[in-house]
Amino acid sequence: ARAAYIAGCAGTACTIVDREFGVPALGTMAHSWVQLFDSELDAFCAYAKAYPDDCTLLVDTYNVLKSGIPNAIEAFKREVLPRGFRPKGIRIDSGDITYLSKKARVMLDEAGFEDVKIVASNSLDEYIIRDMLLQGAKVDSFGVGERLITASSAPVFGGVYKLCAVEKDGEMIPKIKLSENAAKVTTPGAKKLWRLYDNESGKALADVITLEDETIDDSHDYEIFDPDYTWKRKNVYNFTARQLLQPLFINGKRVYEYQNIDEIKKYCLSQVDTLWDEVTRFENPHNYYVDLSQRLWDVKNDLIKQYSKR
Amino acid sequence: ARAAYIAGCAGTACTIVDREFGVPALGTMAHSWVQLFDSELDAFCAYAKAYPDDCTLLVDTYNVLKSGIPNAIEAFKREVLPRGFRPKGIRIDSGDITYLSKKARVMLDEAGFEDVKIVASNSLDEYIIRDMLLQGAKVDSFGVGERLITASSAPVFGGVYKLCAVEKDGEMIPKIKLSENAAKVTTPGAKKLWRLYDNESGKALADVITLEDETIDDSHDYEIFDPDYTWKRKNVYNFTARQLLQPLFINGKRVYEYQNIDEIKKYCLSQVDTLWDEVTRFENPHNYYVDLSQRLWDVKNDLIKQYSKR
């Protein structure tokens, strides 16, 4: 939930994350609240009485259009308006939410609740939400759960630990691991990571990995090339180079200061904004390149040759 | 790693699980060990010297067939045999492991190491292992990592919490949650779960959910039916009914005694053995039914009718 909030979500239904990390906890009742009472209307009225200033009612326990929304409207009128508040919203958690939300919007509007929001939930992900919006769903807010907090679309993130250099007599000796799988050939040496931003648009052009003692001089043009297809080369100009890596610990001492979660969120969103739309679309996104410097590529290439000969 | 061991794995590369839960830790060197030395042979010899009684060498840092296996054979001869031990194995972690394992087997056999095992790893899962075995891979042991410890093939396991009954004046009142999604309609009431085992084969025939005050009398035939297609009915005979649920806490007190991990593993494997092969195959497995008792179905059906009318 903390990561989701940083990446742009508005809040969480997990209250402990509010307490521990300051992520705003949001939500409404569970179905069990509605089931607990003798009637749905009783359940809604009891909730509205308890939270007249923040009243979102869950309308799909029995039948959204026949009972849920009519009962919600009745509860809003009986228990929220007389207390001088406006109701917050209704939540639909099952069924054809696109269809139901359109009907719900009409019913709420006709009852004078044009300002009441419609919240949707139920195993939503980015693809379902896109399709709902394309089909005109009248949803103001999406509750996304298990598809967000698990890595549902890419459950395994391959990460490997390999040695890249050995310090010997005060000198860093680059080391390589070869493989028939090109992706498993390591890039040797102690390295730095740079991001090149276009000065005109502010967008990220590419990332470049260099050797540790290299500097990218952004006052001059800089040639980048694809690390797999090295004949694909391109000159970058009018850009700003920024180092991405920051030390967290130096000689066992923490040197990094934790930031406020809202500062992190702001920074994250501003960085996502430096990506071209072409890179962020779902289908056929443009590759964002992570290139090597010429010197680093030469070191890698030399070691590949040297170890392949043995 | 604890769950994987219980489900049938031989051990883990995660040493803390050995210490905490008694799961045997197994493994060999990392690639970094090999990279650390000036030559692969030096690395192997140093390792063999340190672990002559448990020597498995990682042969794919540079080139499996040209350097890895010849160096491993040399290290076995120089450092393991003279100490009076037999080497344990070699591990291949990249490339076409099926092909490489066949070549490796021949090379090891010719060097007199017919008893040395071949271990394979590298993003393996059940499908890759099946195909490797079908194509005659000479692999004795498979190291499976991220595809096992993450729910790679089914990253999201839908689970919902819904109220099924309310105690009122000492009586349990069954409660239901309706939905257009049939799978989201809850089964009301306080319940028991039974598994019916065929007395002849020992195999599990079906699971049956009953109301809490019901008993399945396995001295008589018992009619089960599909909870979705209730006209699909079947008589079960010559079976043993066993209750699956066990109380862990009663009135806030733990009443369940933890068992030794090897007891749990044994029990788990014996239970998996009660599943028909038809249920456990990868493609088109036979559905294993979880049925409702007639009385429970009647309670559910009555509540569906009652709440749909409103």
Side-chain angles (χ1 to χ4, degrees):
Chain A
R2 180 177 177 273
Y5 180 67
I6 288 173
C9 289
T12 177
C14 178
T15 51
I16 203 169
V17 184
D18 188 338
R19 199 183 68 191
E20 298 289 320
F21 301 110
V23 176
L26 314 167
T28 176
M29 66 191 66
H31 285 118
S32 54
W33 175 274
V34 180
Q35 294 172 272
L36 192 63
F37 290 80
D38 286 334
S39 83
E40 191 179 45
L41 183 59
D42 288 353
F44 287 174
C45 287
Y47 190 88
K49 235 189 257 184
Y51 304 102
D53 57 326
D54 187 19
C55 183
T56 297
L57 299 174
L58 178 61
V59 296
D60 74 326
T61 306
Y62 304 118
N63 187 306
V64 174
L65 302 178
K66 281 193 205 160
S67 75
I69 296 176
N71 282 333
I73 289 171
E74 183 63 28
F76 290 156
K77 286 182 180 167
R78 276 198 210 170
E79 306 291 348
V80 178
L81 299 185
R83 286 180 171 78
F85 294 104
R86 295 293 297 172
K88 260 292 186 41
I90 61 157
R91 179 163 78 102
I92 309 172
D93 184 46
S94 59
D96 185 330
I97 295 174
T98 302
Y99 169 82
L100 293 171
S101 71
K102 291 182 200 174
K103 293 278 179 190
R105 186 72 271 158
V106 172
M107 292 166 80
L108 289 168
D109 289 355
E110 282 175 355
F113 294 116
E114 294 91 350
D115 55 331
V116 167
K117 306 287 188 206
I118 297 177
V119 183
S121 53
N122 185 22
S123 299
L124 301 179
D125 65 18
E126 64 273 38
Y127 298 97
I128 297 172
I129 291 175
R130 176 190 60 182
D131 286 352
M132 289 171 73
L133 293 174
L134 275 173
Q135 298 190 350
K138 299 292 187 189
V139 173
D140 301 289
S141 170
F142 295 92
V144 182
E146 79 276 9
R147 310 272 172 115
L148 185 69
I149 59 165
T150 66
S152 171
S153 52
V156 170
F157 184 71
V160 290
Y161 149 75
K162 296 282 180 283
L163 190 82
C164 64
V166 174
E167 193 179 339
K168 205 173 178 181
D169 308 328
E171 203 196 336
M172 287 298 247
I173 317 279
K175 293 283 186 173
I176 199 164
K177 149 90 183 77
L178 297 185
S179 174
E180 288 183 51
N181 316 39
K184 290 193 107 184
V185 177
T186 60
T187 298
K191 298 177 285 284
K192 275 199 284 206
L193 177 61
W194 306 76
R195 182 158 292 169
L196 313 186
Y197 297 90
D198 180 36
N199 284 341
E200 209 161 303
S201 62
K203 298 293 182 188
L205 297 166
D207 288 359
V208 180
I209 308 175
T210 68
L211 284 166
E212 204 186 22
D213 62 358
E214 279 187 273
T215 293
I216 293 186
D217 176 4
D218 52 18
S219 68
H220 291 84
D221 292 6
Y222 188 80
E223 189 186 56
I224 57 175
F225 59 92
D226 189 302
D228 294 322
Y229 308 104
T230 54
W231 44 268
K232 281 193 184 177
R233 283 167 185 263
K234 183 173 152 177
N235 257 311
V236 178
Y237 51 92
N238 189 24
F239 68 99
T240 299
R242 193 161 70 84
Q243 272 201 62
L244 292 188
L245 299 181
Q246 282 191 42
L248 302 186
F249 293 89
I250 293 179
N251 293 329
K253 273 205 175 152
R254 180 162 67 81
V255 295
Y256 179 83
E257 286 301 323
Y258 283 102
Q259 287 184 293
N260 173 282
I261 191 166
D262 286 303
E263 287 299 313
I264 301 174
K265 185 185 174 91
K266 219 170 100 184
Y267 176 74
C268 175
L269 294 177
S270 75
Q271 284 302 299
V272 169
D273 196 43
T274 68
L275 299 174
W276 300 100
D277 288 346
E278 287 80 352
V279 169
T280 61
R281 67 185 162 216
F282 295 161
E283 316 290 343
N284 299 323
H286 188 80
N287 258 342
Y288 181 76
Y289 288 109
V290 178
D291 305 290
L292 306 185
S293 72
Q294 185 69 50
R295 270 188 59 204
L296 178 55
W297 170 247
D298 291 342
V299 169
K300 183 172 185 171
N301 214 17
D302 285 351
L303 280 175
I304 291 176
K305 276 187 202 155
Q306 185 184 323
Y307 280 94
S308 302
K309 257 191 287 185
R310 294 189 177 185
Chain B
R2 180 177 177 273
Y5 180 67
I6 287 173
C9 289
T12 177
C14 179
T15 51
I16 203 168
V17 183
D18 188 338
R19 199 184 68 190
E20 298 289 320
F21 301 109
V23 177
L26 313 167
T28 176
M29 66 191 67
H31 285 118
S32 54
W33 175 274
V34 181
Q35 293 173 273
L36 191 63
F37 290 80
D38 285 334
S39 83
E40 191 180 45
L41 183 59
D42 287 352
F44 287 174
C45 286
Y47 190 88
K49 234 188 259 184
Y51 305 102
D53 57 327
D54 187 19
C55 183
T56 297
L57 299 174
L58 178 63
V59 296
D60 74 326
T61 307
Y62 305 119
N63 187 305
V64 174
L65 301 179
K66 281 193 205 160
S67 77
I69 296 175
N71 282 332
I73 289 171
E74 182 64 28
F76 291 156
K77 287 183 180 166
R78 277 197 212 169
E79 306 292 348
V80 177
L81 299 186
R83 287 180 171 78
F85 294 103
R86 295 293 298 172
K88 261 290 186 42
I90 61 158
R91 180 163 76 102
I92 310 172
D93 184 46
S94 58
D96 184 330
I97 295 174
T98 302
Y99 170 82
L100 292 171
S101 70
K102 291 182 200 174
K103 294 277 178 191
R105 186 72 271 158
V106 173
M107 291 166 81
L108 288 169
D109 289 355
E110 282 176 356
F113 294 117
E114 293 91 349
D115 56 330
V116 167
K117 307 286 187 205
I118 298 176
V119 183
S121 53
N122 186 22
S123 300
L124 301 179
D125 64 20
E126 63 273 39
Y127 298 98
I128 297 172
I129 290 174
R130 175 190 61 182
D131 286 352
M132 288 170 72
L133 292 174
L134 276 173
Q135 298 189 350
K138 298 292 186 190
V139 173
D140 301 288
S141 171
F142 295 93
V144 182
E146 79 276 10
R147 310 273 170 113
L148 185 69
I149 60 165
T150 67
S152 172
S153 52
V156 169
F157 184 71
V160 290
Y161 149 74
K162 296 282 180 283
L163 190 82
C164 63
V166 174
E167 192 179 339
K168 206 174 177 178
D169 308 329
E171 203 196 336
M172 287 298 246
I173 317 279
K175 294 283 185 172
I176 199 164
K177 150 89 184 78
L178 297 184
S179 174
E180 288 182 51
N181 316 39
K184 290 192 107 185
V185 177
T186 60
T187 297
K191 298 176 287 282
K192 274 199 283 206
L193 178 61
W194 306 76
R195 181 158 294 169
L196 313 186
Y197 297 90
D198 181 36
N199 283 343
E200 208 160 305
S201 62
K203 298 292 182 187
L205 296 167
D207 287 359
V208 180
I209 308 175
T210 68
L211 284 166
E212 205 186 21
D213 62 359
E214 279 188 271
T215 293
I216 294 185
D217 176 5
D218 52 18
S219 68
H220 291 85
D221 291 7
Y222 187 80
E223 189 186 54
I224 57 175
F225 59 94
D226 189 303
D228 294 322
Y229 308 103
T230 54
W231 43 269
K232 281 192 183 176
R233 284 168 184 262
K234 184 173 151 177
N235 257 311
V236 179
Y237 51 91
N238 189 23
F239 69 98
T240 300
R242 194 161 71 83
Q243 272 202 62
L244 292 187
L245 299 180
Q246 283 191 41
L248 301 186
F249 293 89
I250 292 179
N251 293 328
K253 272 204 176 154
R254 179 162 69 83
V255 294
Y256 179 82
E257 285 300 324
Y258 284 102
Q259 287 183 294
N260 173 282
I261 190 167
D262 285 303
E263 287 299 314
I264 301 174
K265 185 184 174 92
K266 219 171 99 184
Y267 176 73
C268 176
L269 293 177
S270 76
Q271 284 301 299
V272 169
D273 196 43
T274 67
L275 299 174
W276 300 100
D277 288 346
E278 287 80 351
V279 169
T280 61
R281 68 184 163 216
F282 295 161
E283 315 290 344
N284 299 323
H286 188 79
N287 258 343
Y288 182 76
Y289 289 108
V290 178
D291 305 290
L292 305 186
S293 73
Q294 185 68 50
R295 270 188 59 204
L296 178 55
W297 169 247
D298 290 343
V299 169
K300 183 171 184 172
N301 215 17
D302 285 351
L303 279 175
I304 291 176
K305 276 187 202 156
Q306 184 184 323
Y307 280 93
S308 302
K309 257 191 285 185
R310 294 189 177 186

